[in-house]
Amino acid sequence: MRQPTQGIHHITAFVQNAQKTVDFYAGVLGLRLVKKTINFDAPEVYHLYFGNEIGKPGTIITFFPWENSRKGRIGGGQVGITTYVVPQNSLDFWRRRLERFQVKTTEQVRFKEKYLQFKDPDGLQLEIVERENGENSNWTFGDVSVDKAIKGFGGAVLYSTKPEKTAQTLGNVMGLKRVGMEGSFIRFQATGEIGNIIDIDQSVTYAGLGGAGTVHHIAWRAKSDEEHVLWREHVEQSGYHPTTIIDRQYFHAIYFREDGEILFEIATDPPGFANDEPAEHLGEKLMLPAWFEQYRKGIEEGLPKIEVRSPEEEVQ
Ligand code: ZN
């Protein structure tokens, strides 16, 4: 039997500069660069994955850095805000840390939870919330200790061109539970510990424009390949037109655009990021799928050099 999704598997966004993205997500937010690979559909561009120490589903944000690409506009048909969850009593630490690196923060309260909101260098909207749920990340970086480190996604705020339709899809197709309404927000909950709280902000319905600084798609978790096949049937029976199952090396994927124009993916938990390199060395080497290995030299020469480095020295 197909189970409802546990929540978010990963979120993928477009940005412009690879090093700036590494500096922000690994350096400032203290996530681990768990995979350095290329866009399988455009090998001249990196595909960078950041997550907890093993890149567990529900912790992974991925980027295609296209230098000089068109700036997008955040709006309907996109993930509007990506929510990170941190342990209790660490929000003040994050406010101070972000301010120290000149990241402006504001606060919002939704459903009695306090959110620290800010933007990444390309303008992607992010926020951090404290919650009890979800195990601590074991990845530490700079002065981000385990009791402060980002655990993974808390969830996301969706901007839909048709919020009621998106709400129906989250409930009827993905199996999330509608748990509340407040102001313009409808709140949904999935069964997982992290990446499980999804808000639709009904006040934003003007269409977004894809490009740098916007989320490209949100992927939901399927537990196994067997379940993934059933998910595909279920999505099709629900009136959508999912792609065939695509091998993404670290998971299998299907994609479909829901009625509110947000691109949904359903991705399998296995095999994960230790599929092609040892867990201790994730993200250190450029990983290529077998069919690109013969072009490695040219691909490496074409990509900008990037490194995970500490932002601490720069500001002191
Ligand atoms: Zn994806």
Side-chain angles (χ1 to χ4, degrees):
M1 264 302 277
R2 185 190 58 84
Q3 300 295 316
T5 183
Q6 290 175 274
I8 300 172
H9 183 285
H10 66 269
I11 288 177
T12 294
F14 287 121
V15 289
Q16 286 181 328
N17 185 275
Q19 184 62 53
K20 268 192 194 164
T21 302
V22 173
D23 284 344
F24 190 78
Y25 287 88
V28 176
L29 295 187
L31 298 168
R32 185 178 190 187
L33 174 63
V34 291
K35 194 62 64 180
K36 186 162 65 175
T37 183
I38 51 170
N39 182 337
F40 297 170
D41 306 319
E44 70 280 12
V45 171
Y46 275 120
H47 194 183
L48 304 175
Y49 292 71
F50 301 87
N52 76 346
E53 73 275 13
I54 52 157
K56 205 176 104 178
T59 73
I60 314 151
I61 191 160
T62 96
F63 296 98
F64 297 118
W66 296 82
E67 205 66 53
N68 305 318
S69 57
R70 178 183 76 172
K71 284 291 277 178
R73 182 181 66 233
I74 296 170
Q78 294 172 1
V79 170
I81 309 174
T82 298
T83 311
Y84 277 114
V85 65
V86 294
Q88 300 284 11
N89 304 316
S90 57
L91 211 58
D92 282 337
F93 165 84
W94 282 103
R95 182 184 299 103
R96 287 196 303 273
R97 182 171 176 82
L98 289 166
E99 279 166 10
R100 191 164 134 227
F101 297 117
Q102 283 79 49
V103 181
K104 246 183 69 193
T105 62
T106 55
E107 269 181 27
Q108 187 185 61
V109 174
R110 302 197 304 272
F111 301 95
K112 299 194 174 71
E113 292 183 304
K114 193 198 284 179
Y115 291 84
L116 186 66
Q117 299 188 319
F118 53 96
K119 289 179 180 167
D120 88 346
D122 284 273
L124 277 171
Q125 300 186 139
L126 305 171
E127 61 183 10
I128 296 181
V129 66
E130 293 177 353
R131 280 182 200 142
E132 200 76 64
N133 278 356
E135 56 191 39
N136 284 358
S137 171
N138 286 313
W139 186 250
T140 58
F141 189 81
D143 62 1
V144 185
S145 51
V146 166
D147 61 324
K148 307 279 193 302
I150 288 174
K151 297 194 259 193
F153 296 125
V157 180
L158 306 184
Y159 293 170
S160 168
T161 56
K162 292 180 184 140
E164 256 320 311
K165 292 274 191 193
T166 301
Q168 279 169 20
T169 303
L170 287 182
N172 302 340
V173 183
M174 304 313 301
L176 275 65
K177 232 163 89 186
R178 194 168 174 144
V179 292
M181 262 194 93
E182 186 186 280
S184 61
F185 297 97
I186 317 176
R187 173 157 287 197
F188 287 84
Q189 186 165 1
T191 58
E193 290 273 293
I194 54 168
N196 60 329
I197 302 290
I198 308 296
D199 291 342
I200 298 176
D201 184 350
Q202 301 179 90
S203 70
V204 182
T205 52
Y206 55 86
L209 179 71
T214 67
V215 169
H216 182 252
H217 65 265
I218 180 168
W220 306 97
R221 294 174 66 178
K223 270 196 204 117
S224 62
D225 284 312
E226 293 72 30
E227 227 185 66
H228 200 228
V229 172
L230 300 178
W231 268 111
R232 195 182 174 282
E233 286 171 16
H234 172 62
V235 168
E236 208 164 35
Q237 280 156 14
S238 304
Y240 285 117
H241 304 286
T243 61
T244 54
I245 293 173
I246 299 169
D247 182 1
R248 292 301 186 199
Q249 191 85 344
Y250 311 108
F251 46 84
H252 289 108
I254 59 167
Y255 304 83
F256 65 100
R257 201 171 284 283
E258 55 86 44
D259 288 333
E261 290 179 59
I262 305 168
L263 185 57
F264 278 11
E265 173 182 342
I266 299 175
T268 54
D269 282 3
F273 295 99
N275 191 29
D276 59 356
E277 60 183 334
E280 316 80 81
H281 294 291
L282 292 179
E284 291 171 13
K285 187 177 163 223
L286 180 72
M287 299 311 297
L288 298 176
W291 62 93
F292 276 124
E293 231 8 284
Q294 55 175 320
Y295 309 112
R296 174 176 283 274
K297 196 164 175 288
I299 289 171
E300 282 183 339
E301 281 168 6
L303 289 166
K305 293 279 162 286
I306 53 171
E307 56 169 340
V308 173
R309 57 190 184 186
S310 170
E312 320 280 336
E313 303 101 49
E314 294 167 33
V315 291
Q316 272 159 20

